[in-house]
Amino acid sequence: MPTPLSANEPNQLPLIIAGPILRKVTPAEVNIWLVTTKRLDGAVDIFDAHSDSALYSEAISPHQQLQVGKNAWVCMLTLQGNYPSGQALRYQIHTQDGPLTTLMPHLAYENDTNAQNGIEFVISEKADYLLHGSCRNPHHFSKDSLVTADAKVAKQEVTDRPDMLLMSGDQIYADHVAGPMLDAIEQLIQLLGLPDETFDQAPIKNTQELYRHPDCYYGRDHILPHFVDDGSLIAKFFPHKGVPIFSSRESENHLISFAEFFAMYLLVWSPIPWTLINCDRILDLGFSIGGKQLSPKWQQHWRDEKVHIDAFISGLNNVQRLLAHIPTYMIFDDHDITDDWNLTVGWEKAATENAFSHRIIGNGLIAYWLCQGWGNAPEKFNTTFMEYAHRYFDELTDEAQNQFIQYLYRFEEWHYTVHTSPKVVVLDTRTRRWRSESRMNKPSGLMDWEALIEFQQELMNQDKVIIVSAAPMFGVKFIEMLQRIMTSCGQPLVIDAENWMAHPGSANTLISIFTHTKTPTNFVILSGDVHYSFAYDIKLRYRKNSPNIYQITCSGFKNQFPTALLNFCDAMDRLLYSPRSPLNWFTKRKRLKIFKRAPSNHDFYRLVNQSAIGELRLEENGKPSQISILTSDGNEVHFPPTKVEE
């Protein structure tokens, strides 16, 4: 672990502050993401781990580097070559300050006797052993299951490790930030010289005013934009003046500026930023912030949150090590930007027509691209895209920022495919929604017609496929019924009434895709979002040659559902939606037979409410041979097959 530095010593900052994270890897390219405190110089090597024969050795200078702050550079090293698959390789970054593994010795696994020569990894053209999950809330009381995953990988031979790690959303919680985390964010912004910005239609003029504002901590719900009745059409569907646009019930520390979004990514993926700041600064100031004393309620809240944040920090060495070794793919969900992002057309219009909320969402998208989207499929971000990005970070003007954000709002290539066997199709269920035409406050479909047709084309003539959908395609019917009731009452935001079955058009189109004769025989759907885990086997009724559909959900990495409430929903679902229940005929899934797998740790309940990371092994034909979760406490829970329809 690097020696802690004072924020007054910017010239002594460590070179690498976050990463390396191994991103898209194929036999033709290897992508490595990292953030440095000055422009990275030197060279990168990739070589055979056993023979030490060089496969790639080139200078760093031609690779993409974006200066996003005075002391912050985002580097995407796209190393194109001809690499063997299925065997141990190493990458080494020779920086101006020394080799990567010398600068960061904690990245080495104990059983790797040659770790000083580079990070060992494998390029796999298969996707038959996967880790997956979502929802990593730093101040949740549970342990971090990414740490548990790292402990398992540490015991495996390099060629036995997972082919990839799939993160299916909520890699950060931008709308639910702990006080100690927000303080760390503000300190890191200053230390790295991340950019200031100005705001329109906001009670604050710029970021400096935000950081000094008495409501900066635990009061941002008063700063965040509200929808106000101005006589427009949309006002008829938001009848109360001053309705908050951002619907999170815990938005007291909601991120606002680009600098805040970006800094949070560094703090959730790397231990190094935490060594550079004073984690007890607010305590030392006696909870006096911006000339305002935090109330006793929030002071105690801070202390409670700090216990969990300290535990979170203690595992970040392991998280950084895991991400350096395992190819990792990501996609956003709502909390990466804000709760209920684009849930209804009414919310979407209110958020985009207000300049302040439009900017906040745009800032989240910029940070998402830099820290998540870029590494999934670098080829999607063409010259035009990069021109907008470079202009913003080179000029740091309102005009350049607004133009980049407007471009991101129109961008429709966040989805991507990993061309392994089976093919992995990762869906964008947030920005291309099927908007309701009947009511402004009715949930939108998770994908629109055009996006679903593109999705179907990805599936055509495949015999097996893995689909990554942030929200489960086939969820818990009783919970979906509650969501439908709240929608009927005009309150879809109350219990996040978004699921694949909530919108008739997208639901029927989705089920039609599964029934198409040229789509795969074996579908595996990986999801997160819901803060509990389950596994369903699904068949089509009235079809002798039904495809095999497996809905596998693991959530969260570091989050859980309220236990008593989940147990109630689980029991009611089994009671009300048993195979013989007539209620099944009132659902959009009446053409399907659902076989719920019983977890190995319980005979009655079908939903597992523990923070965990999913583990999936597939047979050659794409059918699961093992569906399990590794809980944050280190226990394995399996979901063995069942022949009982429920």
Side-chain angles (χ1 to χ4, degrees), residues 138-443:
H139 65 278
H140 191 267
F141 62 80
S142 61
K143 296 178 182 178
D144 189 346
S145 58
L146 290 185
V147 175
T148 314
D150 176 72
K152 181 160 189 174
V153 169
K155 299 174 184 177
Q156 297 173 320
E157 294 296 325
V158 62
T159 51
D160 296 330
R161 292 173 185 166
D163 300 312
M164 65 184 72
L165 166 61
L166 292 165
M167 294 184 172
S168 55
D170 300 343
Q171 278 65 258
I172 64 170
Y173 274 70
D175 57 330
H176 186 196
V177 182
M181 174 65 80
L182 185 59
D183 182 45
I185 288 169
E186 311 304 0
Q187 291 188 58
L188 191 60
I189 288 170
Q190 182 178 5
L191 193 66
L192 299 182
L194 297 178
D196 289 323
E197 59 186 281
T198 59
F199 304 110
D200 293 327
Q201 289 184 258
I204 47 172
K205 295 179 181 178
N206 52 49
T207 47
Q208 289 305 312
E209 190 172 319
L210 167 65
Y211 305 149
R212 295 192 300 266
H213 198 282
D215 286 328
C216 182
Y217 292 84
Y218 299 115
R220 291 191 174 197
D221 47 330
H222 304 303
I223 297 174
L224 291 171
H226 288 57
F227 174 76
V228 178
D229 187 348
D230 60 359
S232 63
L233 179 63
I234 189 175
K236 296 180 181 179
F237 301 94
F238 287 86
H240 303 293
K241 293 186 178 182
V243 174
I245 291 176
F246 292 107
S247 50
S248 173
R249 293 180 293 276
E250 297 168 302
S251 60
E252 297 90 358
N253 290 328
H254 198 301
L255 302 183
I256 291 176
S257 67
F258 158 74
E260 290 179 334
F261 278 93
F262 178 72
M264 187 167 190
Y265 278 108
L266 307 187
L267 290 160
V268 301
W269 283 342
S270 173
I272 298 171
W274 294 98
T275 68
L276 308 176
I277 62 175
N278 178 7
C279 293
D280 294 321
R281 183 179 71 118
I282 299 300
L283 297 175
D284 296 340
L285 294 173
F287 291 105
S288 179
I289 306 168
K292 177 183 177 181
Q293 186 83 14
L294 285 182
S295 69
K297 167 193 170 182
W298 292 120
Q299 290 184 30
Q300 186 58 49
H301 201 63
W302 182 291
R303 295 186 186 97
D304 294 340
E305 290 175 331
K306 192 171 186 304
V307 171
H308 303 309
I309 291 293
D310 288 343
F312 175 78
I313 296 168
S314 69
L316 285 175
N317 272 13
N318 303 86
V319 173
Q320 189 177 34
R321 183 170 68 172
L322 177 71
L323 298 180
H325 287 81
I326 305 296
T328 301
Y329 297 86
M330 311 175 189
I331 191 65
F332 46 46
D333 202 12
D334 52 350
H335 296 291
D336 294 287
I337 307 296
T338 188
D339 193 24
D340 298 330
W341 178 30
N342 292 347
L343 189 145
T344 68
V345 65
W347 186 97
E348 190 174 345
K349 287 179 65 66
T352 55
E353 291 177 0
N354 177 282
F356 191 26
S357 56
H358 187 276
R359 170 64 67 83
I360 294 170
I361 295 167
N363 285 336
L365 284 170
I366 296 173
Y368 169 78
W369 168 68
L370 278 171
C371 302
Q372 297 195 59
W374 197 359
N376 293 325
E379 68 280 0
K380 289 201 169 194
F381 306 104
N382 58 20
T383 301
T384 302
F385 190 105
M386 296 306 297
E387 284 175 353
Y388 279 100
H390 278 285
R391 184 185 174 202
Y392 166 49
F393 289 115
D394 289 345
E395 298 179 6
L396 294 179
T397 62
D398 270 353
E399 180 184 10
Q401 186 171 6
N402 289 336
Q403 288 180 349
F404 188 25
I405 287 173
Q406 199 58 40
Y407 183 83
L408 292 177
Y409 268 91
R410 297 192 302 268
F411 188 71
E412 293 189 342
E413 293 294 327
W414 297 119
H415 60 287
Y416 59 95
T417 297
V418 185
H419 293 281
T420 47
S421 178
K423 177 190 286 190
V424 180
V425 180
V426 183
L427 304 180
D428 167 9
T429 60
R430 281 286 161 189
T431 71
R432 300 180 66 186
R433 293 209 151 184
W434 194 326
R435 297 170 179 86
S436 172
E437 297 179 1
S438 59
R439 295 205 314 270
M440 298 282 280
N441 63 346
K442 188 175 181 179

